Amino acid sequence: MDPKRIIIGSDHGGWELKDFLGRRLSAKGWSVEDVGCEGPTSVDYPDYAIRLCHRLKQEEIPRGMLICGTGIGMCIAANKVPGIRAALCQEAYSAQMARAHNDANVLCFGARVIGPELAWSVLSAFLDTEFEQGRHQQRLSKIAVMENDRDLAKP
Ligand code: RB5
């Protein structure tokens, strides 16, 4: 697994921010793969969320980034894919904790909510933070059980 590999995707609401962050990532030495979309034409965000999440899993790409207008739709869709832990973060502390405590593998942004430089600082915090394991792993294991058997998601 190449630790500096990232896959990115967006809908029409997020493609400009995705383009900005993708170019910044490449300039910083990241290997960036873009699953679309490519412009302002209206598309359906779940198509890109699912495409990105399946590739991330199949190709063992360590990190993903999904952007739509608010980040909410992308985050909801991505979290339907078993093994995906997507986090919508609009500031760096949440992004750091999403990695340290939740081992999030996909970061979501709302391009209509956050500016490009703030988004870059949030993304940097996400990429620079390691999962702390320990007590956090046992909690994630419980979520994995819920993914595998929906009946176990009952209280
Ligand atoms: C598209 O207009 C918008 O609904 C989408 O980008 C996203 O914000 C959904 O959660």
Side-chain angles (χ1 to χ4, degrees), residues 10-14 42-46 67-76 109-113:
S10 74
D11 73 356
H12 54 287
S42 184
V43 295
D44 296 333
Y45 60 82
I67 310 178
C68 62
T70 61
I72 296 169
M74 282 296 196
C75 197
I76 292 171
F109 283 128
R112 297 172 187 155
V113 180

Side-chain angles (χ1 to χ4, degrees), residues 19-30 32 116-117 120-121:
D19 189 53
F20 172 84
L21 294 171
R23 280 188 278 109
R24 183 72 67 89
L25 284 163
S26 297
K28 299 282 182 188
W30 284 80
V32 181
E117 291 299 341
W120 173 251
S121 69

Side-chain angles (χ1 to χ4, degrees), residues 106-148:
V106 174
L107 177 64
C108 300
F109 283 128
R112 297 172 187 155
V113 180
I114 195 167
E117 291 299 341
L118 178 57
W120 173 251
S121 69
V122 177
L123 177 57
S124 299
F126 184 78
L127 296 175
D128 290 346
T129 307
E130 291 299 321
F131 179 45
E132 284 177 7
Q133 312 261 359
R135 68 188 189 281
H136 305 297
Q137 183 55 62
Q138 88 199 24
R139 294 158 187 169
L140 294 184
S141 298
K142 291 185 178 183
I143 294 174
V145 168
M146 290 158 60
E147 282 178 338
N148 292 329

Side-chain angles (χ1 to χ4, degrees), residues 15-74:
W15 74 274
E16 277 184 301
L17 180 59
K18 179 192 64 176
D19 189 53
F20 172 84
L21 294 171
R23 280 188 278 109
R24 183 72 67 89
L25 284 163
S26 297
K28 299 282 182 188
W30 284 80
S31 165
V32 181
E33 283 158 73
D34 188 345
V35 299
C37 71
E38 279 92 36
T41 305
S42 184
V43 295
D44 296 333
Y45 60 82
D47 298 339
Y48 296 88
I50 301 308
R51 188 184 297 175
L52 180 142
C53 291
H54 282 287
R55 280 203 45 201
L56 183 137
K57 284 178 64 178
Q58 273 167 4
E59 298 173 34
E60 297 188 343
I61 301 170
R63 301 280 174 268
M65 178 183 74
L66 284 167
I67 310 178
C68 62
T70 61
I72 296 169
M74 282 296 196

